[in-house]
Amino acid sequence: MPANTKYLSSTGQRWLKVSAGILGGYLATIAIHNAIGVVLENKSALILTTAYSSFFLWVALMILAFLSKNGWKAWGGMFLIIVVCTIIIILFKA
């Protein structure tokens, strides 16, 4: 039985969700781990756990992007995460 078309996204929205999930989620994951690295004193613990936690965080952000109804909102959420983490990095570097 084919899917009901009212529940399917348009091609442009689907592309925005996929790019927000893959690229935006990856960039947000890097920004989050960099912000945590700036705040923490013990950097060796972060390096050890980043290898595992980054994959799980990336997958979680990808799922959140795909659950979004609008691709622009998914990109907006990723951009908001990146901006907040960038502000944290700038504040703690000074």
Side-chain angles (χ1 to χ4, degrees):
M1 185 167 173
N4 195 344
T5 56
K6 71 179 181 179
Y7 297 115
L8 299 177
S9 300
S10 67
T11 307
Q13 287 296 318
R14 195 174 321 128
W15 186 86
L16 283 170
K17 288 181 195 178
V18 169
S19 64
I22 295 173
L23 183 64
Y26 182 71
L27 293 175
T29 300
I30 292 171
I32 290 169
H33 281 90
N34 283 338
I36 293 171
V38 169
V39 174
L40 290 180
E41 294 292 325
N42 187 4
K43 306 280 193 251
S44 63
L46 179 69
I47 292 171
L48 292 173
T49 58
T50 297
Y52 302 107
S53 65
S54 62
F55 176 73
F56 292 121
L57 182 61
W58 185 34
V59 170
L61 289 172
M62 232 188 282
I63 290 171
L64 287 175
F66 284 115
L67 287 177
S68 174
K69 298 230 182 258
N70 189 347
W72 291 110
K73 288 183 182 178
W75 265 112
M78 298 300 171
F79 185 69
L80 181 67
I81 292 171
I82 293 169
V83 167
V84 168
C85 290
T86 304
I87 291 170
I88 291 171
I89 291 169
I90 290 170
L91 289 177
F92 278 92
K93 277 287 194 184

